[in-house]
Amino acid sequence: MSSPGPGDLSRTPLIALVHWANKALQTDMVLFAHRAGHQGVKQAHNAVFATLHSTPQRTTDMAAAMGITRQSMGEIVRDMVALGILDMVPDPHDGRAKLVGYSEEGLRVAGDGFAHIRDLEQRFVEELGAEDYETARRVLQRVTEMLDADAAADV
């Protein structure tokens, strides 16, 4: 008996598995934030946490990195500024632009989140085994590279 192959409708497509894994990870991050006392964190905020690290950035650059509109990222940023997680300051290189960075509270929220990610990754290693976990990471990275190359070729 042969194992199911690509396009076999009797098994869940990879795109669905990746979507559900992403959704579960994003939900987990929000639930963790709430348990850690950061009640205002929403799932949409993950778009900022995924792109903003230690250096302030323009909202347009963050939106492009996440593949969402500038308007959507702007709305998320404004919400996070209102919650005290982010600060906006003038861009010293362009007076018309603003840079987004973490506030002191935002550094605590992001720091807690990054610590949780490290804990999650350790849990994955323990649950899956180091070899399978590294294989999963390599496969997902390669899928991303393949599809990004295809998209770049179409431009």
Side-chain angles (χ1 to χ4, degrees):
M1 182 170 189
S2 65
S3 61
D8 185 332
L9 298 179
S10 69
R11 69 182 196 169
T12 304
L14 179 63
I15 192 170
L17 294 173
V18 170
H19 170 76
W20 291 330
N22 179 52
K23 185 175 178 184
L25 286 165
Q26 293 214 25
T27 298
D28 179 79
M29 291 303 296
V30 172
L31 292 174
F32 170 81
H34 291 177
R35 287 191 304 270
H38 310 299
Q39 298 300 318
V41 172
K42 301 173 187 167
Q43 192 149 345
H45 297 168
N46 287 328
V48 168
F49 292 123
T51 56
L52 183 61
H53 301 290
S54 59
T55 305
Q57 296 182 44
R58 290 181 177 198
T59 302
T60 54
D61 295 334
M62 294 165 56
M66 288 305 296
I68 64 175
T69 66
R70 184 177 44 132
Q71 294 81 1
S72 293
M73 183 61 80
E75 186 176 327
I76 296 165
V77 165
R78 283 188 296 280
D79 185 43
M80 293 176 77
V81 167
L83 290 168
I85 296 171
L86 298 178
D87 291 325
M88 292 181 76
V89 297
D91 183 337
H93 303 292
D94 182 350
R96 300 166 298 158
K98 300 259 190 221
L99 294 176
V100 176
Y102 288 115
S103 66
E104 287 300 316
E105 173 63 12
L107 288 172
R108 283 189 287 281
V109 174
D112 287 348
F114 288 120
H116 182 61
I117 290 169
R118 283 190 302 275
D119 292 345
L120 272 178
E121 293 206 8
Q122 182 58 43
R123 181 176 167 205
F124 298 153
V125 168
E126 291 166 4
E127 184 74 24
L128 304 172
E131 187 177 330
D132 281 353
Y133 179 62
E134 287 306 316
T135 297
R137 290 181 57 85
R138 279 193 310 276
V139 166
L140 291 172
Q141 182 65 41
R142 183 66 185 120
V143 166
T144 301
E145 290 166 358
M146 277 177 38
L147 297 176
D148 284 349
D150 291 349
D154 285 345
V155 175

